[in-house]
Amino acid sequence: MFSTTAVSKKPPHAEKGETGLDGRIVLVTVRTLSEGRRLARTVVKKRLAACVNILLSPVNSIYRWKEKVEVTHEYYLIIKTTDRCYAELEREIVKLHSYEVPEIVALPISAGLPEYLTWLRASVS
């Protein structure tokens, strides 16, 4: 029925010492496309992110803010960085962002192409 064999939580390349597990995907929404482009260019130029993808079609966001349900169009940024750069990246986003409380959500990269993860680490400082 069920196997009692322990399953490794590490990706296959981790066995070779290339964990690549220090990466983060950071999700951020912005009010305008120009704000997203400015933020993306700044964090890549400052080497706080290796890459930023900007979804060119706005997303429809429905959320509660100050006891009122809001409906707005926003643009999504998908930012690739490392654990080491995350705190400074977050500070830079907060500084540049037009929202009082910007959406900044970081997700760990649990696996990925080793060459890509090596490039990511080399692209940030």
Side-chain angles (χ1 to χ4, degrees), residues 38-98:
R38 181 176 47 84
L39 196 153
R41 189 175 307 279
T42 300
V43 298
V44 170
K45 187 175 180 179
K46 290 187 171 190
R47 299 181 66 91
L48 300 175
C51 174
V52 179
N53 302 112
I54 303 171
L55 295 169
L56 294 178
S57 294
V59 296
N60 193 24
S61 298
I62 303 168
Y63 56 93
R64 180 174 297 282
W65 179 247
K66 297 186 178 181
E67 298 307 315
K68 184 179 173 194
V69 174
E70 301 282 346
V71 179
T72 61
H73 287 94
E74 299 176 295
Y75 292 87
Y76 238 108
L77 308 183
I78 304 168
I79 303 170
K80 277 72 82 178
T81 192
T82 60
D83 291 343
R84 183 177 43 127
C85 292
Y86 176 76
E88 191 175 345
L89 172 68
E90 183 181 90
R91 283 191 295 275
E92 189 69 21
I93 294 168
V94 169
K95 182 175 89 174
L96 297 172
H97 209 289
S98 64

Short mmCIF file of all heavy atoms in Angstrom, two decimals, residues 38-98:
data_model
loop_
_atom_site.label_atom_id
_atom_site.label_comp_id
_atom_site.label_asym_id
_atom_site.label_seq_id
_atom_site.Cartn_x
_atom_site.Cartn_y
_atom_site.Cartn_z
N ARG A 38 10.18 51.26 -13.64
CA ARG A 38 11.17 52.04 -12.86
C ARG A 38 11.71 51.21 -11.71
O ARG A 38 12.93 51.14 -11.49
CB ARG A 38 10.51 53.32 -12.34
CG ARG A 38 11.43 54.23 -11.54
CD ARG A 38 10.75 55.54 -11.14
NE ARG A 38 9.42 55.37 -10.57
CZ ARG A 38 9.19 55.08 -9.28
NH1 ARG A 38 10.18 54.93 -8.44
NH2 ARG A 38 7.95 54.95 -8.83
N LEU A 39 10.82 50.55 -10.99
CA LEU A 39 11.23 49.71 -9.86
C LEU A 39 12.12 48.56 -10.35
O LEU A 39 13.18 48.30 -9.77
CB LEU A 39 9.98 49.18 -9.14
CG LEU A 39 10.18 48.63 -7.76
CD1 LEU A 39 8.90 48.78 -6.95
CD2 LEU A 39 10.59 47.19 -7.78
N ALA A 40 11.71 47.90 -11.42
CA ALA A 40 12.47 46.77 -11.95
C ALA A 40 13.87 47.19 -12.38
O ALA A 40 14.87 46.56 -12.02
CB ALA A 40 11.72 46.15 -13.14
N ARG A 41 13.95 48.27 -13.13
CA ARG A 41 15.25 48.75 -13.61
C ARG A 41 16.17 49.09 -12.43
O ARG A 41 17.35 48.76 -12.44
CB ARG A 41 15.05 49.96 -14.52
CG ARG A 41 16.32 50.39 -15.22
CD ARG A 41 16.09 51.51 -16.21
NE ARG A 41 15.03 51.24 -17.17
CZ ARG A 41 15.18 50.49 -18.28
NH1 ARG A 41 16.35 49.95 -18.53
NH2 ARG A 41 14.18 50.30 -19.11
N THR A 42 15.62 49.73 -11.41
CA THR A 42 16.42 50.14 -10.26
C THR A 42 16.98 48.95 -9.50
O THR A 42 18.18 48.91 -9.20
CB THR A 42 15.59 51.04 -9.31
OG1 THR A 42 15.17 52.20 -10.03
CG2 THR A 42 16.40 51.46 -8.10
N VAL A 43 16.14 47.95 -9.20
CA VAL A 43 16.63 46.83 -8.39
C VAL A 43 17.60 45.95 -9.16
O VAL A 43 18.53 45.38 -8.56
CB VAL A 43 15.48 46.01 -7.74
CG1 VAL A 43 14.67 46.90 -6.80
CG2 VAL A 43 14.60 45.32 -8.76
N VAL A 44 17.44 45.85 -10.48
CA VAL A 44 18.41 45.08 -11.28
C VAL A 44 19.72 45.87 -11.38
O VAL A 44 20.81 45.30 -11.20
CB VAL A 44 17.84 44.72 -12.66
CG1 VAL A 44 18.92 44.14 -13.57
CG2 VAL A 44 16.68 43.73 -12.52
N LYS A 45 19.62 47.17 -11.64
CA LYS A 45 20.83 48.00 -11.74
C LYS A 45 21.64 47.97 -10.44
O LYS A 45 22.86 47.92 -10.46
CB LYS A 45 20.44 49.43 -12.09
CG LYS A 45 21.60 50.33 -12.39
CD LYS A 45 21.13 51.69 -12.85
CE LYS A 45 22.32 52.58 -13.16
NZ LYS A 45 21.90 53.90 -13.62
N LYS A 46 20.94 47.98 -9.30
CA LYS A 46 21.62 47.94 -8.00
C LYS A 46 22.03 46.53 -7.58
O LYS A 46 22.53 46.33 -6.49
CB LYS A 46 20.71 48.54 -6.92
CG LYS A 46 20.53 50.04 -7.06
CD LYS A 46 19.76 50.60 -5.87
CE LYS A 46 19.79 52.12 -5.92
NZ LYS A 46 19.27 52.70 -4.67
N ARG A 47 21.80 45.55 -8.46
CA ARG A 47 22.18 44.15 -8.23
C ARG A 47 21.45 43.55 -7.02
O ARG A 47 21.96 42.64 -6.36
CB ARG A 47 23.69 43.99 -8.12
CG ARG A 47 24.41 44.43 -9.40
CD ARG A 47 25.90 44.25 -9.31
NE ARG A 47 26.30 42.86 -9.24
CZ ARG A 47 26.58 42.07 -10.26
NH1 ARG A 47 26.48 42.55 -11.48
NH2 ARG A 47 26.95 40.83 -10.08
N LEU A 48 20.25 44.04 -6.75
CA LEU A 48 19.40 43.46 -5.69
C LEU A 48 18.52 42.35 -6.25
O LEU A 48 17.97 41.55 -5.50
CB LEU A 48 18.53 44.55 -5.05
CG LEU A 48 19.29 45.70 -4.40
CD1 LEU A 48 18.33 46.76 -3.92
CD2 LEU A 48 20.16 45.18 -3.27
N ALA A 49 18.39 42.32 -7.57
CA ALA A 49 17.63 41.29 -8.27
C ALA A 49 18.38 40.90 -9.52
O ALA A 49 19.01 41.75 -10.16
CB ALA A 49 16.24 41.80 -8.62
N ALA A 50 18.30 39.63 -9.87
CA ALA A 50 18.93 39.15 -11.10
C ALA A 50 18.04 39.45 -12.29
O ALA A 50 18.53 39.74 -13.38
CB ALA A 50 19.19 37.66 -11.00
N CYS A 51 16.74 39.41 -12.08
CA CYS A 51 15.79 39.55 -13.16
C CYS A 51 14.43 39.95 -12.59
O CYS A 51 14.09 39.55 -11.47
CB CYS A 51 15.65 38.20 -13.88
SG CYS A 51 14.38 38.14 -15.15
N VAL A 52 13.69 40.76 -13.34
CA VAL A 52 12.32 41.10 -12.97
C VAL A 52 11.44 40.89 -14.19
O VAL A 52 11.72 41.46 -15.25
CB VAL A 52 12.19 42.56 -12.47
CG1 VAL A 52 10.73 42.87 -12.11
CG2 VAL A 52 13.11 42.83 -11.29
N ASN A 53 10.42 40.08 -14.05
CA ASN A 53 9.42 39.92 -15.10
C ASN A 53 8.25 40.83 -14.75
O ASN A 53 7.82 40.86 -13.60
CB ASN A 53 8.91 38.48 -15.19
CG ASN A 53 10.02 37.50 -15.44
OD1 ASN A 53 10.33 36.71 -14.56
ND2 ASN A 53 10.63 37.54 -16.60
N ILE A 54 7.75 41.55 -15.75
CA ILE A 54 6.59 42.42 -15.55
C ILE A 54 5.46 41.87 -16.40
O ILE A 54 5.59 41.78 -17.63
CB ILE A 54 6.91 43.87 -15.97
CG1 ILE A 54 8.11 44.41 -15.19
CG2 ILE A 54 5.67 44.76 -15.77
CD1 ILE A 54 8.62 45.76 -15.70
N LEU A 55 4.37 41.50 -15.77
CA LEU A 55 3.20 41.06 -16.52
C LEU A 55 2.56 42.29 -17.15
O LEU A 55 2.14 43.20 -16.44
CB LEU A 55 2.22 40.33 -15.61
CG LEU A 55 2.77 39.02 -15.03
CD1 LEU A 55 1.88 38.50 -13.94
CD2 LEU A 55 2.92 38.00 -16.13
N LEU A 56 2.51 42.33 -18.46
CA LEU A 56 2.07 43.53 -19.17
C LEU A 56 0.56 43.75 -19.14
O LEU A 56 0.09 44.86 -19.32
CB LEU A 56 2.56 43.50 -20.62
CG LEU A 56 4.08 43.58 -20.78
CD1 LEU A 56 4.47 43.48 -22.25
CD2 LEU A 56 4.62 44.85 -20.16
N SER A 57 -0.19 42.70 -18.90
CA SER A 57 -1.63 42.86 -18.74
C SER A 57 -1.93 43.06 -17.26
O SER A 57 -1.45 42.30 -16.42
CB SER A 57 -2.37 41.62 -19.23
OG SER A 57 -2.20 41.46 -20.61
N PRO A 58 -2.72 44.08 -16.94
CA PRO A 58 -3.01 44.31 -15.52
C PRO A 58 -3.85 43.18 -14.93
O PRO A 58 -4.62 42.54 -15.64
CB PRO A 58 -3.77 45.63 -15.52
CG PRO A 58 -4.26 45.83 -16.90
CD PRO A 58 -3.36 45.05 -17.80
N VAL A 59 -3.67 42.95 -13.65
CA VAL A 59 -4.50 42.00 -12.91
C VAL A 59 -5.58 42.79 -12.20
O VAL A 59 -5.40 43.96 -11.86
CB VAL A 59 -3.67 41.17 -11.90
CG1 VAL A 59 -2.67 40.30 -12.63
CG2 VAL A 59 -3.00 42.04 -10.88
N ASN A 60 -6.72 42.16 -11.99
CA ASN A 60 -7.81 42.77 -11.27
C ASN A 60 -7.67 42.36 -9.81
O ASN A 60 -7.77 41.18 -9.49
CB ASN A 60 -9.14 42.30 -11.84
CG ASN A 60 -10.31 43.11 -11.37
OD1 ASN A 60 -10.15 44.26 -10.98
ND2 ASN A 60 -11.48 42.53 -11.40
N SER A 61 -7.40 43.31 -8.93
CA SER A 61 -7.19 43.02 -7.51
C SER A 61 -8.41 43.47 -6.71
O SER A 61 -8.89 44.59 -6.87
CB SER A 61 -5.94 43.74 -6.99
OG SER A 61 -4.80 43.27 -7.67
N ILE A 62 -8.88 42.59 -5.85
CA ILE A 62 -9.99 42.89 -4.94
C ILE A 62 -9.46 42.64 -3.54
O ILE A 62 -8.99 41.54 -3.23
CB ILE A 62 -11.21 42.00 -5.24
CG1 ILE A 62 -11.64 42.17 -6.69
CG2 ILE A 62 -12.34 42.30 -4.26
CD1 ILE A 62 -12.65 41.15 -7.17
N TYR A 63 -9.48 43.66 -2.70
CA TYR A 63 -8.89 43.54 -1.37
C TYR A 63 -9.57 44.49 -0.40
O TYR A 63 -10.27 45.43 -0.80
CB TYR A 63 -7.38 43.83 -1.43
CG TYR A 63 -7.05 45.19 -2.02
CD1 TYR A 63 -6.89 46.30 -1.20
CD2 TYR A 63 -6.94 45.35 -3.40
CE1 TYR A 63 -6.60 47.55 -1.75
CE2 TYR A 63 -6.65 46.58 -3.95
CZ TYR A 63 -6.49 47.68 -3.12
OH TYR A 63 -6.22 48.91 -3.67
N ARG A 64 -9.36 44.26 0.87
CA ARG A 64 -9.89 45.13 1.91
C ARG A 64 -8.78 46.09 2.34
O ARG A 64 -7.67 45.67 2.66
CB ARG A 64 -10.36 44.33 3.11
CG ARG A 64 -10.94 45.19 4.23
CD ARG A 64 -11.53 44.37 5.37
NE ARG A 64 -12.67 43.59 4.92
CZ ARG A 64 -13.89 44.07 4.70
NH1 ARG A 64 -14.14 45.34 4.90
NH2 ARG A 64 -14.86 43.29 4.31
N TRP A 65 -9.08 47.39 2.34
CA TRP A 65 -8.12 48.40 2.77
C TRP A 65 -8.87 49.45 3.56
O TRP A 65 -9.81 50.06 3.07
CB TRP A 65 -7.41 49.02 1.57
CG TRP A 65 -6.43 50.08 1.92
CD1 TRP A 65 -6.52 51.41 1.65
CD2 TRP A 65 -5.21 49.91 2.63
NE1 TRP A 65 -5.43 52.08 2.15
CE2 TRP A 65 -4.60 51.17 2.76
CE3 TRP A 65 -4.57 48.81 3.20
CZ2 TRP A 65 -3.39 51.37 3.41
CZ3 TRP A 65 -3.37 49.01 3.84
CH2 TRP A 65 -2.79 50.27 3.95
N LYS A 66 -8.44 49.64 4.81
CA LYS A 66 -9.05 50.61 5.71
C LYS A 66 -10.57 50.44 5.78
O LYS A 66 -11.34 51.37 5.61
CB LYS A 66 -8.65 52.03 5.31
CG LYS A 66 -7.15 52.25 5.44
CD LYS A 66 -6.75 53.68 5.18
CE LYS A 66 -5.23 53.79 5.38
NZ LYS A 66 -4.76 55.15 5.18
N GLU A 67 -10.96 49.18 6.01
CA GLU A 67 -12.36 48.79 6.20
C GLU A 67 -13.26 48.98 4.98
O GLU A 67 -14.47 49.00 5.09
CB GLU A 67 -12.96 49.51 7.43
CG GLU A 67 -12.26 49.17 8.73
CD GLU A 67 -12.18 47.67 8.98
OE1 GLU A 67 -13.19 46.96 8.78
OE2 GLU A 67 -11.10 47.19 9.36
N LYS A 68 -12.65 49.09 3.81
CA LYS A 68 -13.43 49.22 2.59
C LYS A 68 -12.92 48.20 1.57
O LYS A 68 -11.72 47.98 1.46
CB LYS A 68 -13.26 50.65 2.03
CG LYS A 68 -14.08 50.94 0.82
CD LYS A 68 -13.88 52.38 0.36
CE LYS A 68 -14.59 52.59 -0.97
NZ LYS A 68 -14.17 53.81 -1.63
N VAL A 69 -13.84 47.58 0.84
CA VAL A 69 -13.43 46.66 -0.22
C VAL A 69 -13.09 47.48 -1.46
O VAL A 69 -13.88 48.29 -1.92
CB VAL A 69 -14.54 45.63 -0.53
CG1 VAL A 69 -14.16 44.77 -1.73
CG2 VAL A 69 -14.82 44.76 0.69
N GLU A 70 -11.87 47.28 -1.93
CA GLU A 70 -11.35 48.02 -3.08
C GLU A 70 -11.25 47.08 -4.29
O GLU A 70 -10.99 45.89 -4.13
CB GLU A 70 -9.96 48.58 -2.79
CG GLU A 70 -9.89 49.51 -1.59
CD GLU A 70 -10.40 50.90 -1.90
OE1 GLU A 70 -10.56 51.23 -3.09
OE2 GLU A 70 -10.62 51.65 -0.94
N VAL A 71 -11.42 47.62 -5.47
CA VAL A 71 -11.22 46.89 -6.72
C VAL A 71 -10.35 47.78 -7.60
O VAL A 71 -10.71 48.91 -7.91
CB VAL A 71 -12.56 46.60 -7.43
CG1 VAL A 71 -12.32 45.85 -8.74
CG2 VAL A 71 -13.49 45.81 -6.52
N THR A 72 -9.17 47.28 -7.97
CA THR A 72 -8.25 48.07 -8.78
C THR A 72 -7.56 47.18 -9.81
O THR A 72 -7.58 45.96 -9.71
CB THR A 72 -7.15 48.74 -7.92
OG1 THR A 72 -6.39 47.70 -7.28
CG2 THR A 72 -7.72 49.67 -6.89
N HIS A 73 -6.95 47.82 -10.79
CA HIS A 73 -6.06 47.14 -11.73
C HIS A 73 -4.63 47.41 -11.29
O HIS A 73 -4.29 48.55 -10.96
CB HIS A 73 -6.29 47.66 -13.15
CG HIS A 73 -7.56 47.18 -13.74
ND1 HIS A 73 -8.72 47.90 -13.68
CD2 HIS A 73 -7.86 46.03 -14.40
CE1 HIS A 73 -9.68 47.22 -14.28
NE2 HIS A 73 -9.19 46.09 -14.72
N GLU A 74 -3.83 46.36 -11.27
CA GLU A 74 -2.42 46.49 -10.87
C GLU A 74 -1.57 45.67 -11.84
O GLU A 74 -2.08 44.81 -12.55
CB GLU A 74 -2.20 45.96 -9.44
CG GLU A 74 -2.99 46.71 -8.39
CD GLU A 74 -2.82 46.10 -7.02
OE1 GLU A 74 -3.25 44.94 -6.82
OE2 GLU A 74 -2.27 46.78 -6.15
N TYR A 75 -0.28 45.91 -11.80
CA TYR A 75 0.68 45.14 -12.59
C TYR A 75 1.52 44.31 -11.64
O TYR A 75 1.90 44.76 -10.56
CB TYR A 75 1.57 46.08 -13.42
CG TYR A 75 0.79 46.77 -14.49
CD1 TYR A 75 0.12 47.96 -14.23
CD2 TYR A 75 0.67 46.20 -15.76
CE1 TYR A 75 -0.64 48.57 -15.22
CE2 TYR A 75 -0.08 46.81 -16.75
CZ TYR A 75 -0.73 48.00 -16.46
OH TYR A 75 -1.49 48.61 -17.43
N TYR A 76 1.78 43.06 -12.06
CA TYR A 76 2.53 42.13 -11.24
C TYR A 76 3.99 42.08 -11.65
O TYR A 76 4.30 42.00 -12.85
CB TYR A 76 1.96 40.71 -11.37
CG TYR A 76 1.52 40.16 -10.04
CD1 TYR A 76 0.18 40.02 -9.73
CD2 TYR A 76 2.45 39.79 -9.07
CE1 TYR A 76 -0.22 39.53 -8.51
CE2 TYR A 76 2.05 39.31 -7.85
CZ TYR A 76 0.71 39.18 -7.58
OH TYR A 76 0.31 38.70 -6.37
N LEU A 77 4.87 42.15 -10.66
CA LEU A 77 6.30 41.96 -10.88
C LEU A 77 6.70 40.63 -10.26
O LEU A 77 6.29 40.31 -9.14
CB LEU A 77 7.11 43.08 -10.21
CG LEU A 77 6.73 44.52 -10.52
CD1 LEU A 77 7.69 45.47 -9.81
CD2 LEU A 77 6.72 44.78 -12.00
N ILE A 78 7.50 39.87 -10.97
CA ILE A 78 8.07 38.62 -10.46
C ILE A 78 9.57 38.85 -10.41
O ILE A 78 10.23 38.97 -11.46
CB ILE A 78 7.71 37.43 -11.37
CG1 ILE A 78 6.19 37.33 -11.52
CG2 ILE A 78 8.31 36.14 -10.81
CD1 ILE A 78 5.75 36.37 -12.61
N ILE A 79 10.10 38.93 -9.20
CA ILE A 79 11.50 39.33 -8.99
C ILE A 79 12.29 38.11 -8.51
O ILE A 79 11.85 37.42 -7.60
CB ILE A 79 11.58 40.46 -7.95
CG1 ILE A 79 10.73 41.66 -8.41
CG2 ILE A 79 13.02 40.86 -7.68
CD1 ILE A 79 10.55 42.74 -7.35
N LYS A 80 13.46 37.88 -9.11
CA LYS A 80 14.34 36.80 -8.68
C LYS A 80 15.54 37.37 -7.95
O LYS A 80 16.23 38.25 -8.48
CB LYS A 80 14.82 35.95 -9.87
CG LYS A 80 13.84 34.89 -10.31
CD LYS A 80 12.65 35.44 -10.98
CE LYS A 80 12.90 35.72 -12.43
NZ LYS A 80 11.82 36.22 -13.21
N THR A 81 15.76 36.88 -6.72
CA THR A 81 16.88 37.36 -5.90
C THR A 81 17.37 36.21 -5.02
O THR A 81 16.98 35.07 -5.22
CB THR A 81 16.44 38.59 -5.06
OG1 THR A 81 17.61 39.19 -4.49
CG2 THR A 81 15.45 38.22 -3.97
N THR A 82 18.22 36.55 -4.06
CA THR A 82 18.74 35.56 -3.11
C THR A 82 18.34 35.96 -1.69
O THR A 82 17.97 37.11 -1.43
CB THR A 82 20.27 35.46 -3.18
OG1 THR A 82 20.82 36.74 -2.86
CG2 THR A 82 20.75 35.02 -4.55
N ASP A 83 18.47 35.00 -0.78
CA ASP A 83 18.22 35.28 0.64
C ASP A 83 19.09 36.44 1.11
O ASP A 83 18.63 37.32 1.82
CB ASP A 83 18.56 34.06 1.51
CG ASP A 83 17.60 32.92 1.31
OD1 ASP A 83 16.50 33.13 0.77
OD2 ASP A 83 17.95 31.79 1.71
N ARG A 84 20.34 36.42 0.68
CA ARG A 84 21.32 37.42 1.12
C ARG A 84 20.89 38.84 0.72
O ARG A 84 21.13 39.80 1.44
CB ARG A 84 22.66 37.06 0.49
CG ARG A 84 23.82 37.91 0.84
CD ARG A 84 25.07 37.35 0.18
NE ARG A 84 24.78 36.95 -1.19
CZ ARG A 84 25.46 37.35 -2.25
NH1 ARG A 84 26.50 38.11 -2.11
NH2 ARG A 84 25.12 36.97 -3.46
N CYS A 85 20.25 38.99 -0.43
CA CYS A 85 19.86 40.32 -0.93
C CYS A 85 18.43 40.71 -0.56
O CYS A 85 18.02 41.84 -0.80
CB CYS A 85 20.02 40.37 -2.44
SG CYS A 85 21.73 40.30 -2.97
N TYR A 86 17.66 39.77 0.00
CA TYR A 86 16.23 40.03 0.18
C TYR A 86 15.94 41.26 1.05
O TYR A 86 15.12 42.10 0.68
CB TYR A 86 15.49 38.81 0.75
CG TYR A 86 14.06 39.18 1.00
CD1 TYR A 86 13.16 39.30 -0.05
CD2 TYR A 86 13.63 39.52 2.28
CE1 TYR A 86 11.86 39.72 0.16
CE2 TYR A 86 12.33 39.95 2.49
CZ TYR A 86 11.45 40.04 1.43
OH TYR A 86 10.17 40.47 1.65
N ALA A 87 16.57 41.39 2.19
CA ALA A 87 16.24 42.49 3.12
C ALA A 87 16.49 43.85 2.45
O ALA A 87 15.66 44.76 2.54
CB ALA A 87 17.05 42.38 4.41
N GLU A 88 17.61 43.97 1.75
CA GLU A 88 17.91 45.24 1.07
C GLU A 88 16.95 45.47 -0.09
O GLU A 88 16.51 46.60 -0.33
CB GLU A 88 19.36 45.26 0.59
CG GLU A 88 19.80 46.63 0.13
CD GLU A 88 21.28 46.70 -0.23
OE1 GLU A 88 22.05 45.79 0.13
OE2 GLU A 88 21.65 47.69 -0.88
N LEU A 89 16.60 44.40 -0.81
CA LEU A 89 15.62 44.51 -1.89
C LEU A 89 14.28 45.00 -1.34
O LEU A 89 13.67 45.92 -1.89
CB LEU A 89 15.43 43.15 -2.57
CG LEU A 89 14.29 43.07 -3.58
CD1 LEU A 89 14.58 43.92 -4.81
CD2 LEU A 89 14.02 41.62 -3.96
N GLU A 90 13.85 44.43 -0.24
CA GLU A 90 12.58 44.84 0.37
C GLU A 90 12.61 46.33 0.75
O GLU A 90 11.66 47.06 0.47
CB GLU A 90 12.29 43.99 1.60
CG GLU A 90 10.96 44.31 2.24
CD GLU A 90 10.71 43.46 3.47
OE1 GLU A 90 11.11 43.91 4.58
OE2 GLU A 90 10.15 42.36 3.33
N ARG A 91 13.70 46.76 1.36
CA ARG A 91 13.82 48.19 1.73
C ARG A 91 13.75 49.09 0.49
O ARG A 91 13.10 50.14 0.51
CB ARG A 91 15.13 48.44 2.48
CG ARG A 91 15.11 47.97 3.92
CD ARG A 91 16.32 48.47 4.70
NE ARG A 91 17.58 47.91 4.22
CZ ARG A 91 18.09 46.75 4.61
NH1 ARG A 91 17.46 46.02 5.50
NH2 ARG A 91 19.24 46.33 4.12
N GLU A 92 14.40 48.67 -0.58
CA GLU A 92 14.40 49.48 -1.81
C GLU A 92 12.99 49.53 -2.42
O GLU A 92 12.55 50.59 -2.88
CB GLU A 92 15.40 48.90 -2.83
CG GLU A 92 15.63 49.77 -4.02
CD GLU A 92 16.37 51.07 -3.71
OE1 GLU A 92 17.05 51.16 -2.67
OE2 GLU A 92 16.26 51.99 -4.54
N ILE A 93 12.29 48.42 -2.43
CA ILE A 93 10.92 48.41 -2.95
C ILE A 93 10.03 49.34 -2.13
O ILE A 93 9.28 50.15 -2.69
CB ILE A 93 10.34 46.97 -2.96
CG1 ILE A 93 11.10 46.10 -3.96
CG2 ILE A 93 8.85 47.00 -3.28
CD1 ILE A 93 10.80 44.61 -3.85
N VAL A 94 10.11 49.25 -0.81
CA VAL A 94 9.30 50.11 0.06
C VAL A 94 9.62 51.58 -0.22
O VAL A 94 8.72 52.43 -0.30
CB VAL A 94 9.51 49.75 1.54
CG1 VAL A 94 8.90 50.80 2.46
CG2 VAL A 94 8.92 48.37 1.83
N LYS A 95 10.90 51.90 -0.40
CA LYS A 95 11.32 53.28 -0.64
C LYS A 95 10.76 53.81 -1.97
O LYS A 95 10.32 54.96 -2.05
CB LYS A 95 12.85 53.35 -0.64
CG LYS A 95 13.42 54.74 -0.83
CD LYS A 95 14.93 54.74 -0.70
CE LYS A 95 15.55 54.46 -2.05
NZ LYS A 95 17.01 54.57 -2.07
N LEU A 96 10.76 52.97 -3.01
CA LEU A 96 10.36 53.40 -4.34
C LEU A 96 8.86 53.29 -4.60
O LEU A 96 8.34 53.93 -5.52
CB LEU A 96 11.08 52.56 -5.40
CG LEU A 96 12.60 52.67 -5.45
CD1 LEU A 96 13.16 51.63 -6.41
CD2 LEU A 96 13.01 54.07 -5.87
N HIS A 97 8.16 52.49 -3.83
CA HIS A 97 6.78 52.14 -4.12
C HIS A 97 5.81 53.26 -3.77
O HIS A 97 6.00 53.99 -2.80
CB HIS A 97 6.40 50.87 -3.34
CG HIS A 97 5.36 50.05 -4.01
ND1 HIS A 97 4.05 50.44 -4.09
CD2 HIS A 97 5.45 48.86 -4.64
CE1 HIS A 97 3.37 49.52 -4.75
NE2 HIS A 97 4.20 48.55 -5.10
N SER A 98 4.75 53.38 -4.57
CA SER A 98 3.76 54.44 -4.34
C SER A 98 2.71 54.08 -3.28
O SER A 98 2.02 54.96 -2.79
CB SER A 98 3.05 54.77 -5.65
OG SER A 98 2.31 53.65 -6.11
#
